[in-house]
Amino acid sequence: MEDKHVNNNEKPKDDSQIIAESIGKASLIEPSMEPSTVHKGVYYGSYLELNNLLSLQNLESSKVGKPAHEEMLFIIIHQTYELWFKQIIHEIDSIRSIMSTPPTPERLNGVILNRLKRVTEIQKLLVDQISILETMTSLDFLEFRNLLVPASGFQSVQFRMIENKLGILPNTRVQYQQHHYHSFFSEDDRQKLETSEKQVSLLQLVIQWLERNPFLHHEDYDFWKSYRSAVDQILQKDLERVNNNKDLSDDMKEQAIKDINKNMESFQTLFDEKSYNEKLEKNEVRLTYKALQSALLIYLYKDEPIFHTPFLILNYLTEIDELLTMWRFRHTMMVQRVIGAKIGTGGSSGYHYLRTTVGDRYKIFLDLFNVSSYLIPRNTLPQLPPVVQQQMEFVWQLH
Amino acid sequence: MEDKHVNNNEKPKDDSQIIAESIGKASLIEPSMEPSTVHKGVYYGSYLELNNLLSLQNLESSKVGKPAHEEMLFIIIHQTYELWFKQIIHEIDSIRSIMSTPPTPERLNGVILNRLKRVTEIQKLLVDQISILETMTSLDFLEFRNLLVPASGFQSVQFRMIENKLGILPNTRVQYQQHHYHSFFSEDDRQKLETSEKQVSLLQLVIQWLERNPFLHHEDYDFWKSYRSAVDQILQKDLERVNNNKDLSDDMKEQAIKDINKNMESFQTLFDEKSYNEKLEKNEVRLTYKALQSALLIYLYKDEPIFHTPFLILNYLTEIDELLTMWRFRHTMMVQRVIGAKIGTGGSSGYHYLRTTVGDRYKIFLDLFNVSSYLIPRNTLPQLPPVVQQQMEFVWQLH
Amino acid sequence: MEDKHVNNNEKPKDDSQIIAESIGKASLIEPSMEPSTVHKGVYYGSYLELNNLLSLQNLESSKVGKPAHEEMLFIIIHQTYELWFKQIIHEIDSIRSIMSTPPTPERLNGVILNRLKRVTEIQKLLVDQISILETMTSLDFLEFRNLLVPASGFQSVQFRMIENKLGILPNTRVQYQQHHYHSFFSEDDRQKLETSEKQVSLLQLVIQWLERNPFLHHEDYDFWKSYRSAVDQILQKDLERVNNNKDLSDDMKEQAIKDINKNMESFQTLFDEKSYNEKLEKNEVRLTYKALQSALLIYLYKDEPIFHTPFLILNYLTEIDELLTMWRFRHTMMVQRVIGAKIGTGGSSGYHYLRTTVGDRYKIFLDLFNVSSYLIPRNTLPQLPPVVQQQMEFVWQLH
Amino acid sequence: MEDKHVNNNEKPKDDSQIIAESIGKASLIEPSMEPSTVHKGVYYGSYLELNNLLSLQNLESSKVGKPAHEEMLFIIIHQTYELWFKQIIHEIDSIRSIMSTPPTPERLNGVILNRLKRVTEIQKLLVDQISILETMTSLDFLEFRNLLVPASGFQSVQFRMIENKLGILPNTRVQYQQHHYHSFFSEDDRQKLETSEKQVSLLQLVIQWLERNPFLHHEDYDFWKSYRSAVDQILQKDLERVNNNKDLSDDMKEQAIKDINKNMESFQTLFDEKSYNEKLEKNEVRLTYKALQSALLIYLYKDEPIFHTPFLILNYLTEIDELLTMWRFRHTMMVQRVIGAKIGTGGSSGYHYLRTTVGDRYKIFLDLFNVSSYLIPRNTLPQLPPVVQQQMEFVWQLH
């Protein structure tokens, strides 16, 4: 229903062509608010649909005639969560849209960066927000908890959509009560979930973008070859240094060589494209081999101008993952504190389910975290050929 | 309109007497969620009215055919603010209601404390939330700013109601554009404001509670007399010590005596009930003389068991004030950063108005802050008569 | 070496009996700072020993002639952690001292509360502080990482002391590299650890305090009996309601009865003192049976005045646990992000060790979290006998 | 004194060429910590100089034989502040050093960005840290407050150095007690302050960098001319639209024209170089005319790839300012709460002095805030000539 605040106050005027229409669009006039203009143009309350918004808090406990003071908080905090989820979806969708637009979506890296940052700022808030819910004591929650059966935060469609749009695959999800997660949603919601599962995820778009990195090969330069030979040299030197060190006892030498061998194995896995691709098929890794190389290139040469924003973007992606995990973790602890983990109900309690979702399994950009393991110190980093480095320049000089 | 999610999915069943009705109210059954129960009973999305909630974001920029990406954030952040304002009002109203219920509202000090704490937790969130809005750049805001004319956050009825319910008086408000703040609201909203101005404010209820403090006088004990004589003695000793100190140069002695005199004057004001009451009438102070004494008593003897929760309550009240001020301050800075303070438009800019609201003028419990000035060190604190102290005891012992 | 700032500036004066000595102690003089007084009395820099403090940042990378910019951050952040750990120990020790002082330590519940709160405020900072370290990229860390071998944050004696003083038992600790945690410390530090292990822990003192709760039995009133009979009644009613409900299908009935039975079992465990004590001996629970009852009494009747501060104290204890866990969790994630979890080095990596410490195993007050599972709704709570309730009163009335 | 932890434990071994020396430098070996290696190489406690660090907390109240529990917090919180100040100086100095290194310091914009971000992360912590100090009550502070006379946080040399290095001029400072701020420092400290005042400030380096912006003029393109003509056109259109609008009453038209005129005046100031330079000489503005234009260019065309990081850098600079102001503000409120603003001591109280420092006067990058006022909407923004825009490209394509 329309908010007819104006009518309450005065009868519609002839100059109903409101000021906003006539002047407001004039672009350099500082919007002013004076009583004479207030009842024309946009009104704060109507713009935000406050009459509607503030009437959507309907307590189940009121319906049964025993209004529980704390249920209001329960509703409002969940509603603010959902509003923020909508905003996060708005941002992710816009980034996905930019990144799907040929030919050079990275032209808008500044915009992408800003929106990813915003997502993390929202996520921080969502994590902190749990402190508010923690002011509700267990005893107070009991006053209305049973009235909500079987509703559960598990059923937040938007949260699941965020996960899907970022790139969580349906089959990585932990089953809840031995059922596919769809089972807990209404038909309408299930359709939304399916749609979001089918869309190109942010992860996929990031992979495509990384694969476009033109610096993996440039004329004679082959990043992967150059990186690999640097790694080999370092490991070789490590080995020599240990072998030539007369101060080491046999035990220590043995241990050191064992460590180096482990290290070599770990890098071996990295350099074996075939076995990497097998992992990819099994979903043990998510970045393609080429995308992984590209990420490594960016992490290692992040100081080159052309990588300044790409590096920041990769960082924000891992931060989004980190904050999602943090949210799950704090949420789990809050549940333990307010609800407890009932002894005897075994693995089926909400608390125990939630614990299983806090881990690497739900990290979308896990491979980016793991890239850290493959970095080599700056002083061992192969020098870039001048012709390549020049292409990466981007400074206060007209070419 | 009803959210009929169930119907989308399956036709209503005979056992439509939902589980919640039949078992859910059984109070010790841990609510479980299984696919078989999901479509009976309460559903997350319907409970939170998500269909409605998530359709209230109507961009002005979309109406004119030029959807501005950032307007979504602008709407959603304001809507979450308003939801939280509703929650704060819910808490303040409940506290006001408890504190108005004779004979011993302080029986529920634990509840009051918890709700005040919750208000501060919400306020912290509201302050932090500004960081999210700060991810919107000035240039992006310009895309839709003029379309909102003349709407303004100034017109948040709920925010004004919070101020009124806490105890801000209409005549302490800074005028905006030389007009009474009512002028900027619709007729409906104006009525809500007036109602909230007429209600007994939290400040008034706090005063009444403080005045009931039975320890101001108890048999022979007179707190005010005892406190006053302690102050006199300290000041007297200060003076003697300075006068007898041969190491002080004349200049230093003079300065020291001047300082002590200033101090004496300051305490004089405190001990002069008549002049205090004059200030009260002029609204320069807000606590009555008796309430001020009671607050001082609590602050000085906060270690006595009976004052543990009262002291915490007074602390949360000042924290609410502090966080309100902080919110105003961060809001002001955000406006400066995103909108700027146009040179030339003078004192009428939003930024300049906002600056005037960040100060003691809007502190409801300012007198509680000032009490700090009148504290005296613990070692100079008059010993309480045993009979009084015993009454303040409240320990792990049955009487 | 003494900070002789005074001498740098002017020769010592005859009135070296500084102002602080002569007047400063006068207790109501507002401390003033004027140039004439600045060089007498306490000086900010000397008071804080800044000359020393700011010379303790000695970079290993500087020693080998290759100063790494980021190592400064690494040192300073750890030094601030250690300063805050000292403060936490200061607070915990003072609380332990108060709680060990007969006859009625709870007289100072206000002080205990305040210091517990401070500990949580510090902990929040320590968690947030990790964000600063996360601005150090993996590549930058590699510049000096190997120079620090084998030093590790694991070796923070103060952090281990905090854990011990709170009540973590040496044998609950996860072994690191199959060794007792002592093995990684110097002899001096090991002695400090042993001392802290032998002290009465905060947990033990909390147990003693809870056991003193005089309301477990009072004349005819027996809390445990009253609580148990309430639980029995509820469960009985649950069962009846299910059995009499004709709308339930056989399947649903069966499931519901199964749920109630699980519930009954869970409460059975609670009511079986013998089996509870067996768990206690195996360290599966940490509160004694009596202390657990006392905690439950406080949680259920938290609205009674005498339980206002005890309830808050129990809450802060669980919050300390929660924040410790949070710190471990964020720390783990930071390690994963900055260092990575090298593929191939298996369970021995720092990351994998850290993950094992984030869980219930390290929760000192885990039993308090679990109490939530045994709460019963307010409307089923047995009414306290008037004579008991009166003893719990603590209101604005002189007896 | 040396920390000889090794000696306490075992006698020095022949293989004192520690593992760190022999293997540690091997760059890909994951540092491992095992008991056998612990007493060789770097030890956590010695590395951080914990023996020294944790012995620098010397309570004045202990010296006079009356240890005040809360003084420990007072010392430790100030020491952590000073450690963080050292870190901030470390970052600012490194940025200043990069920005002073010809020919293309902006090559390292990624590094600059990261360090500026780190400064803001530290600042956020410093603001939040105040919450910890607020757990100290006024009464508790009185126990030792007079012993510290006349020391004051005002005397933090490092804080003043930060201000100076950022670009605060000595003569913009508010006088304290009618004295130059130097007067309150020891001779040694005064010299440090003077040195920092004479150094090239970050502000100056930012100005130099902005002035180098090659896009202000490029062949035929003249940014300032293009921008000015766009502004003129918009204002002209505003005026026409108002004049041609028949729905406006005379009053409204008059008001609208007045608003536009104000706007014109404000822009006039901007376009009048001579009067701008007069303001510059009077320190009313701090950016040179050319630097201001450059900043405006970046803000308006921030979506162009070459401006992605410069825009972020400018943003972090304003954020540093904002967080400094926030710190001053929260500090002021904390002082009011804990100390109070003694009635009668007039403008000389610490609280009143502090209030004067919270404002635009201490904003180093105030001009960047004000740039917002001069932005024009994207759709009115002059199109860049293709040849210019191409130079600003910086995308995933080899040229």
Side-chain angles (χ1 to χ4, degrees), chain A residues 22 28 106 245 263 304 396, chain D residues 22 28 106-107 245 263 396:
Chain A
S22 59
L28 288 181
E106 50 275 17
N245 189 326
N263 236 323
E304 299 304 317
W396 268 174
Chain D
S22 57
L28 287 180
E106 51 274 18
R107 217 197 156 272
N245 189 327
N263 238 322
W396 266 175

Side-chain angles (χ1 to χ4, degrees), chain B residues 211-234:
Chain B
E211 288 185 337
R212 283 200 305 275
N213 188 340
F215 296 100
L216 287 168
H217 300 90
H218 181 49
E219 298 182 11
D220 290 345
Y221 177 68
D222 179 330
F223 162 65
W224 201 235
K225 222 167 108 185
S226 136
Y227 166 70
R228 186 173 184 162
S229 104
V231 169
D232 285 345
Q233 272 178 44
I234 301 166

